[in-house]
Amino acid sequence: MAQNSPHGKMGLIVLKSLKQQGAEVDQFIRQLRNEENGESYIIPIEEVRFNNGEGKVKINASVRGRDIYILCDIGNYSCTYDLCGFENHMSPDDHFSDIKRVLSAIGGKASRVTVLMPLLYSSRQHKRKGRESLDCAQSLEELQHLGVDCILTFDAHDSTIYNAIPGTSFENIYPTYSMLKRFIQNEGDDIFRDNMTVISPDTGAMDRAIYYANVLGLDVGMFYKRRDHSRIVDGKNPIVQHEYIGGSLEGKRVLIIDDMIASGESVIDVINEIQKQNVSDVYAAVSFAFFTKGLDKFDKLYEEGKLKKLYSTNLTYAPPELLKRPWFVQVDMCKFIAKILCTLNNDESISPLLDSAAKIRRLLKRYNQGQ
């Protein structure tokens, strides 16, 4: 099947930021193609850093005529390199530069190039307010000019960013089905019946919350963030107050939906607010969990019984201490990614894979039938 692809044999170029997940994706691809004992699709590369911080990428196998998929986690801060005698942690800027180095090393020899960036680079700087940079749009245009044919990402902060590159294929994929499947496996499908409400922590995540509520047949509510626009703290206007808009939460379970947790302050404030309404259990589900200001406050929420579980994907780096937390559940996305890459390599439509609503209905039906 792989050999007959119109775009050539598949090749995975896995940067060290996504090394573990890349190896699992490669294994799943070979399983899907009944090639468990066959050759790996991963193309060996070298990521070199000079002592002054500059770098280069060297590809150690031919890519001519192949269908290349570059895998990179721009949020993996655990990757380090030596800089003038100091240990320097790689930033999103460093990871994005390495993607461009791979494209330069390919040198136009591949049949097709796809970049899989689960966490979209600079996705939080997607629009302009005043005289400021448009980093996300600019980075997408860079990839387009460097010969990238398709960009794959998950739960972009603002999905309309693809308007920056209308002539290039851009797929914004949601982990909704995988998230709910893991949630139901852990909590049981009866958790949704009658007494659960889906909550959006702000107006930006409302579309996600409405989608979850619709497919599950639940009520939905929202918090409105009042901000102090006279000050900027950590690059944003600080939140003054959260105001809830929705029905009563008395005695109900709550599922908070968002695309990411950065410092976590917003989600913490929301959890503390809804506790005033005597809710039952509180769960949260986010695509990306960064915890930039540590885990202590979430530990406290769990110890006080205010947070039951927090679900997130393995699409970006999670430190070992997070994976050990009793309140954290990681959702594995590697098999889903493998299915997407196989389908694209076969030049088939991935729309059936992205139709979460139909898959969720089948999932709920199976659980309702005791399967």
Side-chain angles (χ1 to χ4, degrees):
M1 183 181 293
Q3 300 296 331
N4 297 327
S5 169
H7 301 288
K9 182 181 178 181
M10 177 188 288
L12 305 179
I13 295 182
V14 182
L15 293 170
K16 62 182 179 181
S17 59
L18 210 58
K19 185 176 180 180
Q20 179 180 340
Q21 293 92 326
E24 292 179 24
V25 168
D26 176 57
Q27 183 179 358
F28 278 124
I29 289 173
R30 286 183 283 136
Q31 287 179 3
L32 291 168
R33 291 179 164 175
N34 296 316
E35 301 172 356
E36 288 93 336
N37 299 321
E39 181 183 357
S40 170
Y41 287 98
I42 296 178
I43 296 173
I45 64 169
E46 295 178 37
E47 298 173 67
V48 180
R49 285 281 169 178
F50 301 108
N51 287 336
N52 68 343
E54 295 177 352
K56 70 176 181 180
V57 169
K58 181 180 180 182
I59 300 176
N60 294 323
S62 174
V63 296
R64 185 177 295 277
R66 297 188 69 169
D67 189 14
I68 299 297
Y69 296 84
I70 303 170
L71 281 62
C72 179
D73 173 18
I74 61 99
N76 191 340
Y77 57 87
S78 71
C79 300
T80 61
Y81 61 90
D82 183 72
L83 175 62
C84 299
F86 297 94
E87 183 183 47
N88 197 46
H89 289 259
M90 291 183 69
S91 70
D93 291 348
D94 292 321
H95 289 300
F96 187 70
S97 293
D98 278 351
I99 293 176
K100 293 189 287 184
R101 290 184 177 107
V102 172
L103 294 169
S104 176
I106 290 172
K109 302 299 191 299
S111 172
R112 184 177 65 173
V113 178
T114 298
V115 171
L116 171 62
M117 211 177 348
L119 176 61
L120 186 62
Y121 174 69
S122 287
S123 60
R124 301 179 73 182
Q125 187 53 31
H126 58 97
K127 59 185 176 181
R128 177 177 285 160
K129 295 180 180 178
R131 293 191 180 275
E132 58 185 31
S133 56
L134 284 171
D135 295 52
C136 192
Q138 183 175 322
S139 67
L140 293 177
E141 289 184 345
E142 281 188 89
L143 295 179
Q144 181 185 54
H145 295 154
L146 288 168
V148 173
D149 298 283
C150 179
I151 297 170
L152 305 176
T153 193
F154 280 80
D155 203 352
H157 196 60
D158 183 352
S159 60
T160 60
I161 192 63
Y162 61 72
N163 291 325
I165 49 170
T168 299
S169 176
F170 181 96
E171 297 291 348
N172 183 32
I173 305 163
Y174 291 92
T176 312
Y177 172 73
S178 300
M179 193 79 74
L180 284 176
K181 184 178 180 180
R182 187 78 170 93
F183 188 80
I184 291 173
Q185 286 173 344
N186 265 23
E187 314 297 338
D189 67 314
D190 59 339
I191 195 170
F192 297 125
R193 294 174 185 169
D194 302 325
N195 66 339
M196 176 169 274
T197 298
V198 179
I199 295 291
S200 169
D202 54 35
T203 56
M206 194 59 186
D207 286 345
R208 295 178 184 85
I210 290 174
Y211 183 83
Y212 272 81
N214 284 343
V215 296
L216 296 172
L218 304 175
D219 292 333
V220 66
M222 181 191 76
F223 275 87
Y224 169 69
K225 294 178 182 177
R226 291 180 55 198
R227 294 182 179 271
D228 181 0
H229 290 277
S230 66
R231 298 185 298 135
I232 295 179
V233 178
D234 293 334
K236 57 187 177 182
N237 301 113
I239 299 167
V240 177
Q241 184 179 353
H242 285 86
E243 297 183 4
Y244 176 67
I245 303 172
S248 173
L249 299 176
E250 182 80 26
K252 289 193 172 184
R253 297 185 180 109
V254 171
L255 176 60
I256 301 171
I257 301 295
D258 209 351
D259 62 332
M260 65 174 65
I261 286 179
S263 65
E265 295 295 337
S266 180
V267 171
I268 291 169
D269 289 344
V270 165
I271 291 174
N272 285 324
E273 283 294 322
I274 60 179
Q275 289 296 332
K276 297 176 183 177
Q277 298 195 39
N278 297 319
V279 297
S280 174
D281 297 320
V282 176
Y283 301 87
V286 298
S287 299
F288 304 101
F290 305 132
F291 298 104
T292 56
K293 291 191 176 180
L295 306 173
D296 293 344
K297 291 184 177 180
F298 284 87
D299 289 335
K300 184 178 179 182
L301 288 177
Y302 178 75
E303 291 164 3
E304 294 174 347
K306 295 180 179 179
L307 174 65
K308 191 84 171 179
K309 286 284 192 298
L310 189 150
Y311 289 76
S312 188
T313 70
N314 64 339
L315 294 171
T316 193
Y317 174 72
E321 57 267 26
L322 172 60
L323 300 177
K324 296 176 182 177
R325 290 304 200 268
W327 47 264
F328 183 76
V329 180
Q330 191 173 64
V331 180
D332 187 3
M333 300 297 298
C334 292
K335 188 172 184 178
F336 184 46
I337 290 174
K339 289 180 179 179
I340 291 172
L341 300 192
C342 278
T343 304
L344 288 174
N345 181 238
N346 295 333
D347 209 27
E348 299 172 354
S349 173
I350 62 172
S351 294
L353 291 173
L354 307 186
D355 184 7
S356 296
K359 292 193 291 183
I360 291 169
R361 284 193 292 269
R362 290 195 296 269
L363 175 67
L364 292 174
K365 184 178 180 180
R366 289 199 302 270
Y367 272 90
N368 288 335
Q369 293 173 348
Q371 300 176 13

